Every structure is written in C-alpha cells, then in structure tokens.
Amino acid sequence: MSKRMTDLRFLIGLLFVIYGVILAVYGLVVNPPSFVTWNINFVWGLVLLVVGVCFLIWSRFEEKDDEE
Amino acid sequence: MDQTLLKTSLIDYVIIVIYFVFVIGIGFMVKNQMKTGEDFFLSGRSIPAWITALAFLSANLGALEVLGMAASGAQYGLLTTHYYWIGAIPAMLFLGIYMMPFYYATKIRSVPEYLKLRFNEASRAVNAVSFALMTVLTSGISLYAMALIFQVMVGWSLTTSILISAVVVMVYVGLGGLTSSIYNEVLQFFLIWIGLMLIPFLGLSELGGWEGMLQRLPESFGHVWANTGANGDNEMGIGWLGVTLGLGFALGFGYWTTDFLVVQRTLAARNLRAAQNTPVLASFFKMIVPVLVIVPGLIAAVLIPDLGKPGGPTYNLALPLLMERYYPPGLLGLGLTAMLASFMSGMAGNVTAFTTVWTYDIYQAYIKKDASEKHYISMGRWAIFVGILISIGTAYIAQSFSSIMDYMQTLFSMFNAPLFGTFLLGIFWKRATPWGGFWGLVLGVLSAFAMYFFLPEGTFFSEAAGNFWRAWWAWVITVVVTIVVSSFTKPKKDEELKGLVYGLTERPHYPNTRWYKRPGILAIIVLVILVVLNILFW
C-alpha cells in the first residue's frame, strides 16, 4: 500500500474533490429551488473542488520532519 | 413520527453514504501501521502538529456542542462566547507552555499515569476508574441525544441512528486506534466548516449585516462583558467574578489541562515542540469557532420569533431550522454529513480515551502486568467493543430521563476542577505528598457532589453560575486539603520527582527554531488576539 493513501492531506483532498464534483454537477443538472437566486449547489460545489485540489497539491510536497 | 423538519432526497443520502464508506476505508488503510501498543493507543507519537492541533479542537467540537452552543447563542447572545474565549484559551495556552513538558517528556501514556508517578497508585486508581466510567457514560448519552435530533430532523428511528453510528465508529476505531480517530477528527473539522459556513453567511446577508442583526435583538445579546456587573443583569445570570474564577480558571483549566480526551491528542504529537504547539495552534481556531456556532444562534433568534417560546421549537433546533431555511437538497446532505461526522468523531474521541485508560491504567496495572504488545492491542479492541456496547445501553437508559444531559455535563465538570487543583500543586509544589494529593482529589470531588446535592435550590442565580462557583470552591477545597495533609505526611525524595515537578525539570528552549514555530511566541500572539476580541465585543 502506498504511503500516499495514508497521508491525511491526500485523503481530505480526495473527499472534497468527490463532494465538489457531485454538488456542482447536481447543481448544474437539477438546480433545485432554494432560498437564494443564484445556483447555490453549483457555486458551493466549485468551492469544495478548489479546497480539495489545494489539499491534493499540498500532499505532493514532502512533509518536513521538524528539527527539535 | 411522520412529519420531519427536513425533506431529504436521494442525493443527500448519496453524500452521507460516501462519508461512511470513506471513514471505514481510512480504518482499513491505517490498520497496517498498528504494530505496538503505542501505535494503537498513541499513534506511535508520530503525528505532525497541525493534525494533532485540529484533532485536539475537534474532539471537543462534537455535534452536541455545535447544537448546544447555537441554542445558547439564541437564548443568551454573545455571552456564550465566554465558553470559547476566556473559558478555553488561557487554559489551552497553559497546557501547551507549562504542562506539556511534564506530560510529554515523561513519556506517560495517560493522565492517570502521571498521577501514579507524581503521587501514588491510589490517586491513579481513583482517577482512572472515575474517568473511564464518566467517559463511557457521556458517550452513551451523546449517542442518545444525537439520535433524538436526527429523528426530529430526518425521521430516522432512534435505533437506526444509534446502531449505524455505533457500528461505524466501532469499525474504524477498532481497526486504526487513535490514528483513525485523529484522522476523522481532522476530516470532521474541515467538513463542519465547509458544511455549515454558508449559514452565518446567508443569515447575515439576509439580516443586513452584523449591525442590522444586532438592532433586532435585545441590547445584551451584542455584548460579552458589558452586562456582567451584577448577577442577574443578563439572561444567563452570571457575573464577571464567576466567569473569571469559575469558568475561566477552575472549569476551563480543569477541562483543558487534565481531561484525557483532549490531552491524549497532544501525546500523539511527534516531538515535544509539536506537543507544545498542539493546544497553542488549536487556540487560534478555537477563537473563531463562535462564527460557526454562536452567530447562527443569534440569527435564529431574529428569524424564528417563537424559538424557545411555549409551543414553538426548542432552542436546540436553532441550527437545523436555519438549515431548513437555506439549504436545498445536495447542500443539505453536506450539512447533515458534517453533523454526523462531528457526532461520530466526538464519540470516537470518548471511546479511544476510555480504551487507553482501561488498557493501561486498569487492565495492565491491576489485572495482567507483563503481556505482549499484541495482547494489549487486542485487549484495546475488545475494550472498544465493550465500551461501545455500554454506550448503546446507556443511550437507551438515557431515554427515560429528560434532563440527564445537563446533569451529566455538570457531574463531568465536578471531576475536572478538583483534578486541576491536584495537578497544579503536583507540578509546581514539590512538597505536595502522595497522600496529600490523594485526599485533596477525593475530598474535592466529594465536596463538589455535596454542594450539588445538598445546597438549597436558589443558592446561585442560575444553573451556569452554579456550575462556575461549584467548580471554583471544589478547586479551593482540593488545594487546601492537599496542603494541610501534605504538611504532616512524608514527601517524595527529589530524585523521584525529577522530570515530574517544576524546578526539578529542565525547561524546553528552542533557540534555533524560527519564531513562528516557537510555542511561547505563538502563545503571546494568541493572548493579544484574545484581548482585542474581548474589547471589540465588550
């Protein structure tokens, strides 16, 4: 099993990307009526996607072992 | 119940199920790292500071806390922030700067173990047994409370919610121990922000911003300190002295510095500096949590006029009612997932703390001393299983008492304030003797119970004020008894106290570390922000 799969930054990124895609697509396709005039599912899905991608990028960098 | 608060659709369930699959998956992935007892119970002391810091914070940010603080915000306004600012921050900084060197550097594995080294076996036993008992009971009661909320919100039966969440927690904690638990706490931290952040945002924009909202609320709702001059000037019935001594000092320090549920997260850090930074970094985030939990309470108080009134919905529904108002299907699933996640990670936190204390401080100490690492891990897994079964049982018992949750919270705080007195003297006064520590702790706890059961009703202005003052006096009694008993019993020798007592222990210094990684400097920054916040919202 790769080290990556137990890197928490990667796992958070993965979950947020999955959720972001689901919400954004659902917002685009179904766009259920809501309190606001804008497409809240789509917009928030994109936000999640961006956050998720940031975590994925961060997980590409080695986490430094801190000096004591 | 055929009428539910929220209308869920398929998409919401898809989002919730993905989360369940994900956390169980994490359990399977970290399972292979579990080789020794330290791996399982303390994550092999290898976790980076940012992760332990967020876990430290989330272990305390359970769903009950989220719903309860929103309710309190709707009922009392900004006064509720005392629980997040003065009631938490100074204590968290104290833990990081002054107490971590003793907890981490002595390589203890639990809070009771420190008591054994510093005082004696009897003090450890008292603390281990009372902590194990209270933790498993609290876990059961929050299990029940959460099931109740989900029944009202989405119509799941109590048994469904209780069984599903208990089984999921059992699987992932059983597989991956503390690491699983910590990973899920961090995941929950991000989920709860992303899942609930839209509520204060949409609420404030609907009400015309912060000022617009405050204009439509009673004057005292917008202040933290202005109305605490005399007891009873504010809805909460608390005065500044009770807030400072009781909440800020006795309760806050008691909880944050001695409760093994939170302390365990710091012990998982990879080195002493990371351990010190854990509560310090967490305090940065702690200060902004009110945006997520208390502000929605204020919003609900404006938008839902019959909230908390006879015939209207209870205060506890403040947050779910706002979800109903603002969240369409899809987003609703995300919000519900955030709440489920915070509830389950709260429960997982209780379970891991219980398991560690049971295995190290009761099982290894009194039942089976020299077994293999493998044996203790499997004992830990059994303890998780049994602990969760007891929690489920407690959940059903709790069903027959309506107000037991408040009582539990009160009882729980009665144990921590005296324990903090014992720790403070233990660490900073080397003359405190083993039996001084023991009797101080026991009589402190007993006196808290006595005050609770025997003081006539109406002694305190309000329940909150009662909690604050009871904690303060229990702390005072612990300190006085410890000092008196110590004065005529035999202290431990200096050599035995090395590393355990201030003055006999080398203090950590980090001269070669950059400033933003040094616990002392970060703590000063937090303190400045804390003062500014309190003045800003005076």
Side-chain angles (χ1 to χ4, degrees):
Chain A
M1 181 190 45
S2 76
K3 205 177 154 209
R4 198 114 189 272
M5 293 303 280
T6 56
D7 186 334
L8 184 54
R9 298 166 300 173
F10 175 75
L11 294 169
I12 294 172
L14 185 67
L15 184 68
F16 275 40
V17 165
I18 295 172
Y19 277 165
V21 170
I22 291 178
L23 273 189
V25 170
Y26 183 75
L28 269 188
V29 178
V30 184
N31 194 12
S34 77
F35 186 82
V36 289
T37 46
W38 39 284
N39 190 335
I40 193 166
N41 272 324
F42 177 69
V43 173
W44 205 243
L46 288 187
V47 172
L48 265 113
L49 197 59
V50 171
V51 175
V53 169
C54 288
F55 270 103
L56 288 183
I57 293 172
W58 185 25
S59 74
R60 310 279 323 173
F61 294 93
E62 214 29 49
E63 210 158 6
K64 280 191 305 248
D65 248 346
D66 292 320
E67 75 284 13
E68 257 289 69
Chain B
M1 184 175 299
D2 34 312
Q3 211 185 350
T4 60
L5 195 60
L6 305 170
K7 300 268 170 297
T8 39
S9 9
L10 181 65
I11 179 86
D12 302 318
Y13 284 102
V14 170
I15 291 175
I16 291 174
V17 168
I18 289 176
Y19 178 75
F20 282 148
V21 172
F22 210 80
V23 295
I24 291 175
I26 290 180
F28 275 103
M29 287 201 240
V30 299
K31 179 175 171 259
N32 294 342
Q33 299 175 349
M34 303 297 130
K35 304 228 159 46
T36 67
E38 293 243 320
D39 292 337
F40 191 75
F41 297 111
L42 296 172
S43 301
R45 301 192 197 260
S46 63
I47 311 263
W50 72 273
I51 295 182
T52 49
L54 294 180
F56 181 90
L57 189 60
S58 312
N60 169 257
L61 194 66
L64 273 191
E65 168 104 357
V66 172
L67 293 170
M69 286 298 162
S72 177
Q75 202 170 356
Y76 306 118
L78 281 189
L79 274 175
T80 311
T81 50
H82 282 312
Y83 288 100
Y84 287 87
W85 295 348
I86 194 172
I89 306 297
M92 290 164 76
L93 299 179
F94 187 81
L95 170 67
I97 305 298
Y98 293 102
M99 293 183 69
M100 256 359 270
F102 302 100
Y103 279 150
Y104 194 88
T106 49
K107 294 280 169 212
I108 53 156
R109 299 166 303 182
S110 67
V111 166
E113 200 169 3
Y114 177 86
L115 288 177
K116 181 200 161 193
L117 294 177
R118 175 61 186 83
F119 296 107
N120 54 19
E121 196 65 56
S123 325
R124 174 215 223 164
V126 167
N127 182 231
V129 171
S130 63
F131 179 80
L133 201 65
M134 296 306 280
T135 308
V136 86
L137 289 181
T138 325
S139 151
I141 282 156
S142 54
L143 191 59
Y144 165 66
M146 192 64 196
L148 206 58
I149 295 279
F150 269 82
Q151 186 181 43
V152 176
M153 286 199 308
V154 289
W156 297 350
S157 80
L158 287 180
T159 306
T160 313
S161 314
I162 288 177
L163 285 186
I164 290 183
S165 15
V167 167
V168 173
V169 170
M170 198 184 301
V171 170
Y172 79 71
V173 182
L175 287 169
L178 184 62
T179 308
S180 248
S181 183
I182 286 182
Y183 273 28
N184 281 291
E185 279 153 13
V186 176
L187 201 59
Q188 173 244 325
F189 177 84
F190 290 103
L191 267 178
I192 202 144
W193 276 95
I194 208 100
L196 300 181
M197 201 164 60
L198 275 170
I199 289 179
F201 179 74
L202 294 173
L204 284 177
S205 78
E206 183 185 348
L207 295 175
W210 182 252
E211 292 301 324
M213 176 185 75
L214 286 187
Q215 273 167 18
R216 295 165 63 180
L217 286 168
E219 201 268 337
S220 73
F221 270 51
H223 294 287
V224 178
W225 289 104
N227 303 299
T228 55
N231 283 333
D233 269 7
N234 53 64
E235 273 86 354
M236 223 179 205
I238 51 174
W240 64 272
L241 194 62
V243 170
T244 328
L245 290 182
L247 177 65
F249 185 70
L251 274 181
F253 278 71
Y255 178 76
W256 291 100
T257 65
T258 68
D259 197 295
F260 187 54
L261 172 60
V262 286
V263 172
Q264 188 177 25
R265 270 86 202 136
T266 64
L267 297 182
R270 59 161 68 138
N271 57 40
L272 177 58
R273 192 169 52 75
Q276 286 199 289
N277 272 334
T278 297
V280 176
L281 292 176
S283 63
F284 279 100
F285 297 104
K286 184 77 180 170
M287 283 189 286
I288 52 170
V289 172
V291 175
L292 203 61
V293 295
I294 298 174
V295 172
L298 294 173
I299 294 167
V302 179
L303 289 176
I304 309 156
D306 62 344
L307 188 69
K309 305 263 165 19
T314 68
Y315 283 115
N316 283 332
L317 291 177
L319 203 59
L321 282 165
L322 290 179
M323 262 195 199
E324 180 206 16
R325 185 183 187 92
Y326 294 126
Y327 280 10
L331 212 48
L332 183 63
L334 192 66
L336 289 174
T337 305
M339 285 173 91
L340 265 177
S342 81
F343 157 65
M344 291 198 310
S345 77
M347 181 173 175
N350 279 318
V351 169
T352 44
F354 163 79
T355 308
T356 307
V357 167
W358 161 260
T359 309
Y360 281 151
D361 292 300
I362 300 175
Y363 184 75
Q364 192 180 24
Y366 303 109
I367 300 173
K368 193 159 181 165
K369 275 207 168 62
D370 303 300
S372 64
E373 296 285 344
K374 243 179 134 174
H375 179 81
Y376 290 123
I377 296 185
S378 84
M379 177 35 77
R381 293 203 163 115
W382 276 107
I384 289 167
F385 181 69
V386 174
I388 288 181
L389 281 190
I390 301 175
S391 298
I392 295 177
T394 324
Y396 283 98
I397 298 171
Q399 212 172 342
S400 48
F401 300 93
S402 62
S403 55
I404 196 165
M405 268 112 53
D406 305 331
Y407 289 101
M408 283 303 298
Q409 213 44 38
T410 311
L411 291 179
F412 206 44
S413 66
M414 291 186 205
F415 283 97
N416 287 330
L419 191 57
F420 174 59
T422 309
F423 265 90
L424 203 61
L425 289 174
I427 288 181
F428 292 100
W429 192 47
K430 68 175 186 177
R431 184 62 185 73
T433 65
W435 289 109
F438 174 79
W439 287 112
L441 181 60
V442 169
L443 290 177
V445 172
L446 289 181
S447 71
F449 273 93
M451 280 185 269
Y452 186 76
F453 287 109
F454 298 122
L455 280 184
E457 224 173 293
T459 310
F460 304 107
F461 275 95
S462 65
E463 207 170 309
N467 281 342
F468 297 171
W469 284 113
R470 202 162 37 240
W472 164 253
W473 289 117
W475 181 84
V476 170
I477 288 169
T478 302
V479 169
V480 171
V481 171
T482 308
I483 291 175
V484 170
V485 175
S486 290
S487 66
F488 56 81
T489 45
K490 199 166 150 275
K492 284 193 166 187
K493 292 194 201 68
D494 277 11
E495 304 87 76
E496 289 178 273
L497 296 177
K498 213 156 176 264
L500 299 170
V501 177
Y502 199 81
L504 301 174
T505 309
E506 221 177 302
R507 293 193 57 192
H509 285 288
Y510 307 103
N512 302 321
T513 310
R514 265 164 295 177
W515 66 270
Y516 57 86
K517 290 182 166 179
R518 279 155 69 170
I521 293 175
L522 291 176
I524 291 170
I525 299 175
V526 173
L527 273 184
V528 171
I529 301 176
L530 177 69
V531 171
V532 170
L533 280 176
N534 275 285
I535 294 173
L536 219 54
F537 293 95
W538 188 266

